[in-house]
Amino acid sequence: SVAISVGSSKLPIVFAHGMGDSCFNSGMQHIAEHTSQLLSGVYSTCIPTGDTQSEDTTNGYFLDMDSNVDAFAEKIAQDPKLANGFHAIGF
């Protein structure tokens, strides 16, 4: 069993998709779900930069990096499960 932890609690895993993808796509959802399974149920999620699949995909192409990071940070701040830290993986 593989576990990523600090102290005795497991840190969540946050994914950021790449250009042309979306957190709403089944592939990204599968990656988050599979990661959770591999890590004994640790909270894993993909953070979209848009509110819909279309907006999330389009933002990957047309938002500048600062705007992408701001959108990512805003969504992270809205998720109480990420308040105490997390590991981030970007594609």
Side-chain angles (χ1 to χ4, degrees):
S1 170
V2 176
I4 300 172
S5 63
V6 170
S8 62
S9 63
K10 297 177 189 174
L11 285 176
I13 308 293
V14 171
F15 290 97
H17 66 81
M19 290 175 67
D21 209 347
S22 169
C23 289
F24 297 95
N25 289 340
S26 61
M28 288 305 301
Q29 292 173 359
H30 176 75
I31 289 169
E33 292 166 4
H34 189 64
T35 300
S36 178
Q37 292 170 357
L38 289 173
L39 298 176
S40 303
V42 69
Y43 179 65
S44 299
T45 188
C46 183
I47 301 292
T49 58
D51 293 327
T52 65
Q53 183 177 15
S54 176
E55 182 182 23
D56 193 34
T57 303
T58 302
N59 284 351
Y61 289 108
F62 299 115
L63 275 186
D64 60 59
M65 183 56 79
D66 289 339
S67 298
N68 263 298
V69 170
D70 289 346
F72 187 76
E74 182 179 321
K75 300 269 182 165
I76 295 239
Q78 294 172 3
D79 189 335
K81 294 178 183 175
L82 303 176
N84 294 316
F86 55 90
H87 294 284
I89 301 170
F91 293 101

